[in-house]
Amino acid sequence: MMKSRSDEEDYWNTNKFQAFTFDDEDDELKESKAAVSSLPQLAADDDDDDMEKVSWSGEPIGSISWSVRETATSRVGASRVPAEPARVNSSYSLGSLFKAGRRNSNVATFVEGSSESSGRTPAPEIRRTKSEKLDFGGDRSPREVVDRMRQGKAVSLEPFRCLRAKMDLLDSAVDAHDGNVVTAVLIFLKKSLSREVLFGELASRRTALMHFVNYLSESGQRQLLLELYRALGRQEDAALLQYKEHLGIAGEKERRDFLNGCLSLQFSPEDRAQVQDQVSLLERQMLIEAEDREAERGGKAEIFHKFPRKASVLHMPLVTTLYYCCFYHYDRPEGSFSAPADIRRSFKISDKQFLKTTLSARAKRKSWSDVDALFTSRSWLGFTRKKSPLSFRKVVDILHRNSAPANVLQDYVSLVEDADARMALAHKHKCHELVINTYRDLKERRLLLAYRAKVEAGSAEERKIDELLNNTQIRWKN
């Protein structure tokens, strides 16, 4: 509905608001430049491993899918939604926050219809007098003003006094696909419009809204962002924003109480279950840490003298907590809060993840009998065999990283199904007996003779090769 000029004038108060210029001494320009310069580039995640990697050294550690880590915000959509203002779908999810090791948020430029950003022209570093920088050309159209801003020329946004003119300016900035200009215009609108009016206009402009959300996030204006989410009806986003405050709480009791309070926020059922799991894990970690700290100080546990702890288990991701318990509390009976089997059941850890984490911990402890027991299964007829939800190539890699002896490596190299991969691993890890027996079975005399030069002179392997080469009962291929 068209507004009268007097109504439009209500949106602008010349005594309260100052003109927006690209003057070096202008506070609004400094704020927009600082905001734009702080926007990081989009980061890609190349890690396609389906499981987390763990270590117990106090360094940044991977976590299971719900551990805390912030990922990139969603990519842009259309710059403006026609007709009725529509609720913008949430650009965040709690699953994206529950990752270990935080990443930089992605802001950059939100554009529509084109991915090119090369059209931006940096502002030239030319010193002018203040009178030369100001341009109060009130008859310029929004497109002309935006073009001058992209070219680094000084302009004043004061002539855009009514609401319709301000929105035309914003639409022109978005159509120009220039993030610097969009940021500058949004800062101007934030200062010259009431929050209710600004939020209502942004609701129907998706690209501008997404840019404003990320600007507020990157500039730390949390309260205003929270008000924006609530005004748009994005209750889950508001809940996630409040939830993220727990990252700045150092005390475990205070963090636990804060997370318990977050359960009353308007999360989705899945997200609420993940927050509940995080509370449960933190409470378990508090019990484990209190017991281990007491045992460490009192000298009651020899393992802490043999393998001193390098970091506290508090606030660690789930997989790291499991690794810790597999390393220090592997023999605890199920039902104990530090028993690996109890952690596995309570948090529904997959067989593959549990095996990989346990294998890494026990191999680090050099407990080769425990490693063997992980893969040994007994049939109903009483026969034993080795099987694994992990590929045996990965098993060999983990054992090798933990300096497993040759005989242990050889047992698992021999279980690799692919013949070429098995021989490549046998050569790589110097599993001499496996290589010699394979060449013997293949009747490859030349290959066996060539391999003889690779073993140590006078060794048992060399003697075995000589015996095979001198055996007249073997019918060699060559």
Side-chain angles (χ1 to χ4, degrees), residues 92-150:
Y92 302 95
S93 69
L94 193 58
S96 70
L97 294 177
F98 281 106
K99 301 281 183 182
R102 293 188 63 184
R103 298 185 186 140
N104 290 332
S105 298
N106 300 325
V107 185
T109 304
F110 291 87
V111 298
E112 176 192 9
S114 172
S115 61
E116 295 184 0
S117 59
S118 59
R120 306 176 189 169
T121 304
E125 297 294 332
I126 301 177
R127 303 296 301 175
R128 307 188 188 97
T129 64
K130 189 169 184 177
S131 60
E132 290 176 330
K133 294 178 183 179
L134 297 180
D135 180 2
F136 290 94
D139 58 344
R140 296 188 186 279
S141 68
R143 168 55 64 186
E144 291 174 329
V145 171
V146 168
D147 288 342
R148 290 181 64 84
M149 293 171 70
R150 296 184 66 197

Side-chain angles (χ1 to χ4, degrees), residues 290-447:
E291 182 183 67
D292 290 356
R293 187 181 299 159
E294 181 65 25
E296 193 175 30
R297 290 175 179 174
K300 300 177 182 179
E302 182 182 352
I303 188 173
F304 294 120
H305 292 286
K306 189 175 181 180
F307 302 99
R309 300 193 305 162
K310 296 182 180 181
S312 168
V313 72
L314 291 172
H315 310 310
M316 288 294 176
L318 174 61
V319 171
T320 307
T321 305
L322 175 61
Y323 180 94
Y324 177 94
C325 291
C326 288
F327 192 92
Y328 289 106
H329 304 292
Y330 189 68
D331 297 327
R332 286 289 182 90
E334 187 172 355
S336 172
F337 54 81
S338 59
D342 192 72
I343 294 176
R344 176 188 186 180
R345 186 188 68 254
S346 298
F347 296 99
K348 299 179 176 60
I349 300 176
S350 67
D351 292 343
K352 183 181 290 188
Q353 182 69 75
F354 181 80
L355 178 61
K356 183 176 181 179
T357 306
T358 307
L359 172 62
S360 299
R362 301 317 294 171
K364 188 71 174 179
R365 283 283 308 269
K366 313 300 179 188
S367 299
W368 307 121
S369 59
D370 291 338
V371 169
D372 188 66
L374 286 173
F375 300 98
T376 302
S377 63
R378 187 178 297 274
S379 68
W380 64 278
L381 293 175
F383 298 105
T384 60
R385 65 188 183 93
K386 285 185 171 62
K387 64 178 183 178
S388 168
L390 280 176
S391 70
F392 281 106
R393 293 184 65 174
K394 287 189 176 181
V395 172
V396 171
D397 289 341
I398 294 173
L399 293 174
H400 176 66
R401 287 199 301 269
N402 289 280
S403 305
N407 63 316
V408 175
L409 275 175
Q410 183 166 273
D411 288 343
Y412 291 94
V413 170
S414 64
L415 295 173
V416 176
E417 293 185 1
D418 184 80
D420 293 335
R422 183 169 61 247
M423 286 302 294
L425 289 172
H427 280 276
K428 176 182 177 180
H429 300 300
K430 298 182 179 180
C431 301
H432 299 309
E433 184 176 353
L434 178 59
V435 176
I436 293 170
N437 291 339
T438 301
Y439 288 156
R440 178 201 62 193
D441 296 340
L442 294 175
K443 308 272 191 308
E444 292 285 353
R445 185 176 183 278
R446 291 180 180 177
L447 294 177

